[in-house]
Amino acid sequence: MTTADLVAPRRADTRAAGRTVARAIVLLLLIGYALVSLYPFLWMVSAAFKNQIEVVRGGHLIPESPTLDTLTETWDKLHFFDYFLNSVLVTTYTVVLTLAVYAAAGYAFAVLRFKGRKALSRMFVGLLFVPGVTVMLPIVILENKLGLLGTHWGLVLPFVNGGAPMSILLMTAAFSAIPGELRDSARVDGASEFRIFAGIYLPLAKPALVTVALLTAVPTWNEYLLTRVSLNDPGTYTLPLGLQTLAAENIPQYNNLMAGALIVVVPVILLLLFLQRYFVSGLVGAVKG
């Protein structure tokens, strides 16, 4: 047995030990980052089940005397049900219109052949790099001229328009991955273009549709800037504006503020947990496409 034969296993053991140590360090750093990131959320959840005195006094993360009064007061007495319903309506209309419009656009870019298709597709991709705040003033001016300023449709239409680049990109990738032979066979059987789109392509692109729906619903649900600029009637406020009214009180009730924040966050978390499998599949399919 030569010296090289003895040294090689030692080097392999050293490299394996080094990799183990590196993984342990990375794991500890990730755990530390997760704890730091989760603490504000956990404090919010904790404060939503405390009274104002216990929140101001500070103390343990776990409430000393947990109570549902804070949540019920925030929901019933501070009109959060109205804000919640307004957010549901705006988000639902936005998601439905986005799926209807950009699923059709993605099908056209992926399947149909027409002049200027590639240039138009690249233009939409380029819009991904345009900051939304740069078009805020033109949107408000246009809404005012159309009589939409201060209405929920004045939010829905800009949200749908703003989701065009990402939605078209994802739907085009999803439809491009579907074998063209399916469309050819359907055409031979006499199926119309709409029937092929609705009966074949849409069901096969379900993960992409869910992904687009989630990527549209979450920012729409949480949108504050355009909502703050557009809406001035408290009866039309969405949840972010309702939460802002709590924060703007002369003497903020921090327990109510945290309860309101919890009401805003929980539906998004539940939606992501429920549709996580489709969301991940849709993103993977878009990357492969």
Side-chain angles (χ1 to χ4, degrees), residues 187-236:
R187 292 298 297 271
V188 171
D189 293 337
S192 64
E193 202 68 59
F194 179 79
R195 184 178 177 184
I196 295 172
F197 167 66
I200 298 177
Y201 276 76
L202 281 183
L204 293 176
K206 183 178 180 180
L209 292 170
V210 173
T211 301
V212 170
L214 284 175
L215 292 178
T216 302
V218 173
T220 301
W221 183 268
N222 295 325
E223 173 61 30
Y224 173 79
L225 185 57
L226 181 61
T227 307
R228 175 73 277 178
V229 173
S230 299
L231 302 180
N232 50 27
D233 180 7
T236 63

Side-chain angles (χ1 to χ4, degrees), residues 20-41:
T20 301
V21 172
R23 289 173 182 171
I25 293 174
V26 171
L27 180 61
L28 289 175
L29 290 175
L30 291 176
I31 292 175
Y33 177 76
L35 293 176
V36 172
S37 301
L38 283 174
Y39 180 80
F41 176 78

Side-chain angles (χ1 to χ4, degrees), residues 24-197:
I25 293 174
V26 171
L27 180 61
L28 289 175
L29 290 175
L30 291 176
I31 292 175
Y33 177 76
L35 293 176
V36 172
S37 301
L38 283 174
Y39 180 80
F41 176 78
L42 295 177
W43 191 91
M44 177 194 71
V45 175
S46 173
F49 295 94
K50 295 178 180 179
N51 55 43
Q52 174 71 354
I53 296 176
E54 188 177 352
V55 172
V56 174
R57 189 173 66 240
H60 300 292
L61 190 64
I62 300 177
E64 297 176 3
S65 302
T67 177
L68 292 174
D69 292 343
T70 301
L71 282 169
T72 56
E73 179 183 355
T74 303
W75 182 262
D76 295 331
K77 296 182 181 180
L78 300 177
H79 309 292
F80 252 64
F81 176 76
D82 296 333
Y83 303 146
F84 183 86
L85 182 60
N86 289 336
S87 287
V88 169
L89 291 176
V90 170
T91 302
T92 301
Y93 292 153
T94 302
V95 170
V96 170
L97 282 176
T98 297
L99 291 179
V101 173
Y102 299 126
Y107 178 81
F109 285 127
V111 177
L112 305 182
R113 297 294 179 264
F114 54 90
K115 186 178 294 186
R117 179 176 62 92
K118 291 185 178 180
L120 192 59
S121 177
R122 290 169 183 169
M123 183 195 72
F124 277 110
V125 173
L127 291 176
L128 284 171
F129 304 98
V130 178
V133 70
T134 60
V135 297
M136 183 72 66
L137 182 58
I139 287 175
V140 173
I141 294 174
L142 180 60
E143 287 183 1
N144 188 40
K145 290 184 177 180
L146 294 176
L148 296 175
L149 193 63
T151 68
H152 288 157
W153 282 107
L155 299 177
V156 172
L157 296 179
F159 291 159
V160 173
N161 182 68
M166 181 60 70
S167 300
I168 289 177
L169 184 65
L170 291 173
M171 295 310 305
T172 301
F175 289 139
S176 297
I178 297 175
E181 290 79 5
L182 294 176
R183 178 172 178 264
D184 296 337
S185 299
R187 292 298 297 271
V188 171
D189 293 337
S192 64
E193 202 68 59
F194 179 79
R195 184 178 177 184
I196 295 172
F197 167 66

